[in-house]
Amino acid sequence: KCPKAYEFLSFMVDNQQTECNPCTIYRGEPVPNYWGSHDYPDRYFDNGRWGPPYALVQGGLVNSKFNTVQQDNHRPQILKRGMVAWAGGNSIHFFIALADHPEWGDFHTVSGEVLEEDMPLVDALVRERPLKVLEQNNPVVTNFVEPMQFHLEWR
């Protein structure tokens, strides 16, 4: 469904020794208790029902060949929990949704999905690792105190 994402990720896997040094997961946004509640305004800023925090884990695939990734047109109407999507535009940054995101509509291109049985591992990242809120940012974001490095491989 996403041949352009596959091409980019294949390059990253095939060139693991020289690329993505390091690939990192740097942002962790827990799912707030009020997520989606109709008791809060329908917005994703200024204490709306959709955050902040924004219910996602985000990372980057920094490399020497691509500054951008051409996006495939695989945009679901609602980004669902566990979907892996590109973080806006033609970014080399991605995120994993920790909750459904109806507020974003079909803005983000989805390139993969975390298996449901593996989502507790992703949830544990924002529950167990220290986070820091960057309130000077607009919008306010929450990052991991210590970003995590990872490697890509096909299975």
Side-chain angles (χ1 to χ4, degrees):
K1 290 184 177 182
C2 296
K4 295 170 188 166
Y6 179 80
E7 177 186 355
F8 172 71
L9 292 172
S10 292
F11 169 80
M12 297 301 290
V13 170
D14 293 345
N15 296 283
Q16 194 71 204
Q17 298 304 313
T18 58
E19 300 299 331
C20 217
N21 287 320
C23 290
T24 58
I25 295 175
Y26 54 83
R27 184 174 169 192
E29 302 266 354
V31 181
N33 294 335
Y34 56 83
W35 188 260
S37 169
H38 291 287
D39 294 336
Y40 291 80
D42 188 17
R43 61 181 180 236
Y44 56 88
F45 58 90
D46 196 24
N47 298 316
R49 72 177 76 157
W50 309 114
Y54 297 108
L56 59 85
V57 170
Q58 185 169 328
L61 303 168
V62 178
N63 65 88
S64 65
K65 184 175 180 181
F66 299 95
N67 290 325
T68 62
V69 177
Q70 191 174 3
Q71 303 294 302
D72 296 287
N73 192 18
H74 186 258
R75 299 177 178 193
Q77 290 298 310
I78 295 178
L79 200 124
K80 299 280 192 183
R81 172 179 162 77
M83 288 183 169
V84 180
W86 297 112
N90 291 334
S91 176
I92 57 172
H93 299 266
F94 66 92
F95 66 89
I96 302 168
L98 299 180
D100 292 352
H101 284 275
E103 77 280 15
W104 288 337
D106 64 356
F107 181 74
H108 294 283
T109 297
V110 173
S111 59
E113 192 165 355
V114 175
L115 298 173
E116 187 57 40
E117 60 264 26
D118 292 337
M119 280 304 293
L121 298 171
V122 181
D123 293 327
L125 294 176
V126 296
R127 223 182 25 255
E128 298 174 9
R129 295 187 63 90
L131 301 168
K132 61 182 172 186
V133 177
L134 304 175
E135 293 187 22
Q136 73 278 11
N137 285 24
N138 187 14
V140 172
V141 297
T142 305
N143 284 354
F144 291 107
V145 171
E146 294 182 22
M148 295 160 275
Q149 297 179 3
F150 67 95
H151 295 281
L152 298 169
E153 64 181 61
W154 295 125
R155 291 198 169 207

